[in-house]
Amino acid sequence: MSAFTGTGRLARLVLRRDRLRLAIWVLGTPLLGYALAGSVKEFYPDEASRVGYASTSASSLVARAFNGPIAGTDLGAVVTAETYVTLALLAALLSTFAVIRHTRQNEETGRAELLGASVVGRYALLTAALLVVVAANVAATALLAAALAGAGLPLAGSVAAAAAIGGVGLAFTGVAAVAAQLSVTSRGANALAAAAVGISFLLRAAGDVLGEQTDGGLRVVSAWPSWLSPLGWGNQVRAFGGERWWTLALPVALLVAGVAAAYALAERRDIGAGLVAPRRGPATAAPGLLSPAGLAWRLQRGALLGWAVGVAVLGFSMGIAGDEFNAMIEENPAAAEAISAMGGGAKLIDAYLAAMLGLFALTIGAYVVQALLRTRNDEADGLLEAVLATAVSRTRWLVTQVVAATLGALALVLLGGLTTGLGYGLVAGDPLGRAVGLGGAALVRLPALLVVAGVVTALFGLLPRWSVALSWAALIVFLLLGQLGAVLDLPQAALNLSPYTHVPSAPAVDPAALPLVVLTGVAVLLLAAGTAGFRRRDVPS
């Protein structure tokens, strides 16, 4: 029997399990790229506006850190500068999560051992996951290239930009394959892969900030740290700016090296074990673990701490950049109009700050989904049955999970407002006053996050088998409608589907109480429906 025996059948199983996730990934990426390209094309319709954008982007350290270097003044170069980092990060995270879900998670749950009892080779499970993820990246790349070309951009540049994003996905596919061999848990493997993505972003940002301006200050040549980052390699393709096709070989090389290393490491461990030994816990459990609240805090504190660090750093950076962005968008009426549409209000800096707080709320929605979907993971892994075998009722357990996720979201959104206000206050004066004011404005976004929690809870209680895919799909829809709907001129009926649409854009406008009360009422109804459904269905479903 070959080490790859059964790979084809296992690949079909992966496709069967992830058919909805893969469809959202492969089709959603080009749709998002097409929408973003269309909006950028509207903001920068002529050469003069694009030259102004390129000049300010190349001279702005903040813009270079978050958007990367701009390759020129063509429309495609502006589109790439505005969309590359977002789409590349999505490709990286989707690739790592998919690989680990079908490798390490299968071992953690015992499915790998069950499959291994049949006619399945040693490498079949890993190879099947890799084949599907690589195929998904290739398909998303092809469709994204077609979408960018369909938006009116040159074909060669469209292919280069899409390939740069797909290359990031391929590179981190190899990284995830190695992470799955190191950690004994899927959570640990995901953390390792996510840390690799974060380090890659920081290296790219450092290389772009340290880079030199060329062509009269309209382009940036990245410094050496960018060449250490898979995210930086995508920038070096220079789509729409004299494409360098050879750089696409770098992510492919990392994929090949990662897969080879993963195969070698798989030979040196048992199924279900990891090469990094898990840390031994204390001999006795803490008294707090005797209650559902204590257990929820113990399980979520690591993720909450990581989110808090990220939110604090990003919030402070966005606050510091307030004056710089204000000056930059004032030079472009279309960009100023877009910021005002996303943030509301006539005062540009307040609209910018409101837009940043709205972006934080959307991002923290991912934390809410992540935290509440632990309920489904615990049920699927059999841990929930053990908890419910004690004196803990179903309602008490689920309510505890919801309260823990909601309090975490409250802490994060408040932290985002405080750090953004502190950063802006340091450059504009009155840091304490700005921090308190933006902290209060950030809390206005909490009812929208409660609706997100209600959606996840309702799906868990009523449609448990579909809850994971549908919860993430709902968040993506909210993202597109709440953050880009106004920019893309979508009808109001579509915008109203997102809870973020109904949140007052403080501090740009004075908050009204009625929308917040209605959102809270909707959240309560969704939470009640999810709790009632959970009480009446089988566990596990």
Side-chain angles (χ1 to χ4, degrees):
M1 184 178 69
S2 168
F4 299 95
T5 299
T7 298
R9 286 173 292 170
L10 289 176
R12 290 194 294 272
L13 177 61
V14 172
L15 288 170
R16 175 70 176 81
R17 289 182 58 198
D18 270 10
R19 59 191 183 278
L20 182 57
R21 292 187 181 97
L22 291 173
I24 295 173
W25 175 5
V26 173
L27 298 178
T29 299
L31 289 175
L32 181 58
Y34 182 84
L36 292 173
S39 63
V40 172
K41 186 176 181 179
E42 181 181 349
F43 299 155
Y44 307 99
D46 51 42
E47 181 70 15
S49 63
R50 293 194 292 270
V51 169
Y53 173 87
S55 177
T56 53
S57 295
S59 61
S60 169
L61 298 182
V62 175
R64 283 154 62 174
F66 286 96
N67 291 343
I70 187 167
T73 59
D74 291 343
L75 176 62
V78 177
V79 170
T80 302
E82 285 290 299
T83 61
Y84 167 75
V85 171
T86 298
L87 295 179
L89 286 174
L90 282 175
L93 294 174
L94 289 172
S95 297
T96 56
F97 292 160
V99 170
I100 291 170
R101 181 166 56 251
H102 294 290
T103 53
R104 173 53 61 183
Q105 189 181 82
N106 280 344
E107 295 187 41
E108 188 178 13
T109 58
R111 284 192 292 263
E113 191 171 5
L114 182 63
L115 292 170
S118 61
V119 185
V120 173
R122 175 82 175 178
Y123 300 147
L125 195 64
L126 173 60
T127 305
L130 292 173
L131 286 175
V132 172
V133 174
V134 169
N137 276 293
V138 171
T141 297
L143 292 176
L144 178 59
L148 294 177
L153 302 180
L155 179 60
S158 299
V159 173
I165 293 167
V168 173
L170 293 179
F172 282 101
T173 297
V175 171
V178 174
Q181 313 307 313
L182 298 178
S183 176
V184 73
T185 65
S186 59
R187 190 185 315 159
N190 279 322
L192 290 174
V197 174
I199 292 172
S200 178
F201 180 87
L202 292 176
L203 287 172
R204 181 212 58 78
D208 295 336
V209 167
L210 297 174
E212 296 181 358
Q213 292 180 244
T214 61
D215 294 347
L218 297 179
R219 298 177 64 174
V220 174
V221 177
S222 301
W224 61 267
S226 286
W227 290 96
L228 303 178
S229 164
L231 285 169
W233 297 340
N235 285 133
Q236 305 315 314
V237 175
R238 291 185 181 174
F240 304 101
E243 290 81 10
R244 298 194 294 190
W245 299 99
W246 63 269
T247 56
L248 294 173
L250 296 175
V252 175
L254 181 56
L255 170 66
V256 173
V259 172
Y263 284 150
L265 295 174
E267 283 285 353
R268 289 166 172 77
R269 67 176 184 87
D270 293 331
I271 293 180
L275 292 175
V276 177
R279 185 181 63 181
R280 296 183 62 181
T284 58
L289 295 178
L290 294 174
S291 67
L295 179 60
W297 164 246
R298 176 63 181 83
L299 294 176
Q300 294 186 18
R301 67 184 184 184
L304 182 60
L305 177 61
W307 274 90
V309 172
V311 166
V313 171
L314 188 58
F316 188 76
S317 302
M318 291 295 97
I320 289 288
D323 275 352
E324 189 173 342
F325 270 104
N326 190 33
M328 185 171 67
I329 60 182
E330 277 182 339
E331 298 178 5
N332 189 312
E337 183 180 351
I339 290 291
S340 296
M342 289 188 292
K347 192 175 180 181
L348 199 55
I349 187 59
D350 285 343
Y352 163 78
L353 294 172
M356 292 304 102
L357 294 181
L359 183 61
F360 273 126
L362 282 166
T363 306
I364 294 169
Y367 165 79
V368 175
V369 174
Q370 178 190 43
L372 285 178
L373 284 181
R374 286 191 59 88
T375 57
R376 178 57 184 166
N377 292 336
D378 289 347
E379 181 181 12
D381 295 342
L383 300 178
L384 177 56
E385 287 183 282
V387 173
L388 296 181
T390 65
V392 178
S393 67
R394 292 191 182 197
T395 301
R396 181 186 176 193
W397 177 81
L398 183 57
V399 169
T400 300
Q401 303 299 316
V402 173
V403 170
T406 302
L407 291 177
L410 171 63
L412 291 176
V413 75
L414 179 59
L415 180 64
L418 291 174
T419 53
T420 303
L422 178 62
Y424 181 66
L426 289 176
V427 297
D430 190 21
L432 180 60
R434 290 286 183 175
V436 172
L438 284 182
L443 291 177
V444 175
R445 275 76 182 174
L446 186 61
L449 294 171
L450 290 177
V451 173
V452 174
V455 169
V456 179
T457 305
L459 290 171
F460 170 70
L462 302 173
L463 298 171
R465 295 186 181 182
W466 294 90
S467 58
V468 175
L470 291 180
S471 295
W472 288 114
L475 184 65
I476 292 172
V477 171
F478 294 160
L479 168 65
L480 294 176
L481 296 177
Q483 194 66 17
L484 299 176
V487 176
L488 299 177
D489 293 328
L490 295 179
Q492 188 62 41
L495 299 180
N496 289 337
L497 296 176
S498 170
Y500 296 99
T501 302
H502 307 283
V503 174
S505 296
V509 298
D510 293 331
L514 181 60
L516 304 180
V517 172
V518 172
L519 286 175
T520 304
V522 171
V524 170
L525 291 176
L526 290 170
L527 291 170
T531 303
F534 178 61
R535 290 180 58 189
R536 287 168 172 78
R537 66 173 177 82
D538 292 334
V539 175
S541 63

